[in-house]
Amino acid sequence: MIFQLGATWARFGLFAIVIGHPSLSLSATPPTPLFATEIAPVIYRHCVECHRPEGVGPFSLVGFESVRNRARQIVDVTELRFMPPWLPAHGYGPELLNDRGLSNEEIDLLRRWYEAGSPEGDSSQTPPAPTFTSKWRLGPPDLVVQLPEPYVVPAEGPDIVRNFVISLPLNGPSYVRAIDIQGGNSRVVHHAFLQLDVTAASRTRDAADPEVGFDGMDLSGAMNPDGHFLGWTPGARPYETYRGTEWKIEQGTDLVLQLHLVSSGDRETVQPKIGIYFSPTPPTRTPVSLLIKANDIDLKPGDADGRVERAFTTPVPLDLVRVYPHAHYLGKSFELYAVLPDGRRQPLLHIPGWDFSWQDDYRFKQPVSLPAGATIVMSWTFDNSDENPRNPSVPARRVRYGPGSRDEMAEVAIQALVPEGTSRAPLLAAYAEMQVREDPGNYHAYTRLGLAQAQSGLDTQAEASYRKAIELNSGHASALNNWGVILARRGERERARELFGDALQSQPDYLDARHNLAAELYRSGDFSGAVRELRRVVARNPHLVESQLLLAQSLRDTRDVAGAVDQLVAVLSHFVAEPRVFLLLGECALLVNRTAEAQRWLQRAVDLDSGNLDARYRLGLSHLQAGTVTAAEAVFIGLIGMAPHHGLAHMRLGQIRSRQQRDDEAVQHFEVAWRNGDARQRSLLNTTLTHYRDLGALAVALARLGDVRNARSALAKALEGAGKAGDSPYAGKLRARVQLESTTAGEGKGDVRPQ
């Protein structure tokens, strides 16, 4: 409950309100309420979150004397339902979390206590006041960041939209469960939005502006965490995620705080703080956010009941988690409901008396399930008359849609969950189509529509959407990049590279497009070109694992294998939990005979991802290269236990068995390796095996499989090697066994002899 004095009080004439004493009645009178037993629980439950020392309220209501001194004021504002600041109507729609509103019974209790003289009662029965460890309403945050320096708002002038980049001192990926934005100066901060930037785009724009931050509503490099809308408005509570929907922040991510600022008549400064609360566990579900809005608002002077409605039909089932209605000073009432496929109406949220000063986002106590085909309807009414005490223009003037405080908006943001196992692509496509209908010039909406279509495999439709976005804005980098991805997937690589280049010409800091260009250069064999582009990517953001991996692969394929190892080692601290980095490190280290390092890194890859068969195979190779045959044997046996037809593991174990002169087992392993291998693996068998016993076992296996040509080749090499080694007994036995196996296999010639 936050009590504020000033212009709003004057408009309602609150100072003139006098509460009269009730007339005498012969009916039974309820007992006199006492502070200790009846009033303190109400005040402590609904008011002291804000009205406490270090709280955001202008005075404290902790303790009997503090409450008694303001008893009449409390009665005045609660009977008007001006306090506590809670706009939703009770009894309409599902129950809401953190409901600050008072019941009729509680309001009557406060009035009767005041009229009785505000008695305390037995002070020993007063419950302890809630304790707060700081002015942060969720307790001390795990991390607090703020603008690097204050921003000065001039005394007069038009609205300002200013963006501020705030770095995060993180040592690795983190998961956020709650965030609290403290606007810092409500006289000039109209509202705030918070987004994340994993690129350097926002930081570059900030550096180019001589003042702190940069202007503009378009944050091309920044975006909301998937499915979340983060912001601050006067009266808003801290943002807490629904269970399991925490979001991930990578190391190197910047926060971008967008402030909508209005002049107050005095020169003011703002320096908001952001408190972040981390979760020890990663998210298990990803929400989706839907913004239903109207862009055609046109309120004529004197119109006291202007109405705006919009609707969205969901093609998939949805569980609604929270809603955030938004309008400006002319907002009068808000209603949100769903029309179910059978025609029934399901109430969701009703605000009969909108007040911009106390807007908030509202979370349902339990998610509200809607079936596929349900239509969500948003309805706003507006009062643009001179009688509206909140109208900023007197006399009233014509008001249209716009982001300025004297413009008007009509929208509601909805956070929802799609049932597990259900694709989000149809929902995102339907949502983007709604945005395109609402605003045909919205090239961002066409790009989102194209992305949803591409995710559904509708590449032709996606291309048309991207073309439309580019038609509306020829330099729209996201559309250029996404279209290039489709063309690259289709094999039109030269045209794809052109589109990636166009995207970079429009937005040089667009790291996705630069990475994609590098990937196409790599696929075309231009490894040096890929290295050049990727070095620019990782210089901007060294925390991008895909770019770091591709850079290492490109260095390796330019024959700078040692450089690839050194490059990955230099950034290893960023990816201590990423098994692919350790796998590639191990692969490259094997190529340059840094065997001990390879063993260490490959073992780490296996520890991080025990099911990674490639990491296990290369770990076995590292043991073979180090000469620790017993360890290699154990690794390959374990790998075959996990993947019985792993041809390369059978090949290596066959080698080990042939050196141990366990020839029958060696033959069996080579037989499995050849039978289950593709052309590349069979070629590897032919070229990798050089010891005559390995070749002899392979010849027997091939003869058994009836592959006369390859058996004959392997036999010739084996006999040559045995002759050089002076092992004529083995050579004689080998000839006989190969002939026997080829005869048993039933081949036409019945014999395998070296040519």
Side-chain angles (χ1 to χ4, degrees), residues 443-722:
Y443 55 89
H444 290 292
Y446 278 105
T447 301
R448 285 190 287 268
L449 176 58
L451 183 59
Q453 290 165 331
Q455 290 173 345
S456 299
L458 304 173
D459 283 0
T460 302
Q461 292 92 320
E463 284 188 79
S465 297
Y466 293 142
R467 285 196 190 96
K468 182 63 177 178
I470 295 166
E471 178 186 321
L472 292 168
N473 181 357
S474 60
H476 185 37
S478 294
L480 292 164
N481 175 71
N482 293 356
W483 188 10
V485 170
I486 290 178
L487 295 179
R489 189 165 58 228
R490 200 163 62 208
E492 299 180 32
R493 304 201 178 281
E494 185 175 349
R495 176 61 177 142
R497 288 196 295 272
E498 290 177 2
L499 288 172
F500 296 143
D502 290 344
L504 290 170
Q505 186 173 358
S506 173
Q507 188 177 326
D509 289 320
Y510 192 6
L511 300 189
D512 281 356
R514 197 166 295 282
H515 174 96
N516 290 336
L517 175 60
E520 286 309 306
L521 292 172
Y522 180 86
R523 291 189 186 100
S524 69
D526 185 359
F527 305 130
S528 297
V531 169
R532 180 186 64 249
E533 298 299 332
L534 289 164
R535 286 202 186 281
R536 294 184 64 179
V537 173
V538 301
R540 288 289 189 178
N541 189 344
H543 308 280
L544 300 176
V545 63
E546 301 300 337
S547 297
Q548 293 284 8
L549 286 170
L550 186 56
L551 174 56
Q553 291 169 355
S554 301
L555 287 168
R556 177 197 65 195
D557 293 340
T558 59
R559 302 186 183 278
D560 185 8
V561 182
V565 174
D566 294 341
Q567 176 260 326
L568 285 178
V569 169
V571 298
L572 195 57
S573 61
H574 300 324
F575 308 112
V576 292
E578 177 51 70
R580 293 178 298 163
V581 172
F582 290 96
L583 173 56
L584 184 55
L585 264 172
E587 292 177 2
C588 292
L590 283 175
L591 292 174
V592 291
N593 296 314
R594 292 163 64 169
T595 308
E597 294 173 68
Q599 287 177 304
R600 184 171 67 253
W601 288 325
L602 290 166
Q603 184 61 61
R604 177 66 174 153
V606 171
D607 292 341
L608 289 169
D609 184 3
S610 60
N612 191 318
L613 303 183
D614 198 20
R616 287 183 177 273
Y617 171 70
R618 295 187 184 279
L619 177 60
L621 280 186
S622 71
H623 285 299
L624 277 183
Q625 188 167 307
T628 51
V629 177
T630 302
E633 182 180 4
V635 171
F636 291 131
I637 290 173
L639 178 51
I640 290 170
M642 296 174 64
H645 301 298
H646 195 289
L648 294 177
H650 278 286
M651 180 185 78
R652 298 302 181 184
L653 195 52
Q655 282 184 281
I656 293 171
R657 293 290 182 254
S658 70
R659 308 297 174 82
Q660 295 169 339
Q661 299 189 19
R662 295 161 63 174
D663 295 334
D664 289 343
E665 295 177 52
V667 168
Q668 291 173 4
H669 286 298
F670 287 139
E671 185 180 358
V672 174
W674 189 272
R675 186 169 55 241
N676 294 292
D678 54 22
R680 184 188 65 84
Q681 291 177 338
R682 290 183 177 185
S683 175
L684 193 63
L685 273 165
N686 278 325
T687 57
T688 301
L689 303 181
T690 57
H691 193 277
Y692 69 90
R693 280 192 169 272
D694 297 345
L695 290 164
L698 177 62
V700 174
L702 293 172
R704 181 179 293 176
L705 291 169
D707 191 333
V708 175
R709 182 176 63 83
N710 285 304
R712 183 179 291 128
S713 174
L715 176 60
K717 293 175 185 176
L719 293 176
E720 181 182 357

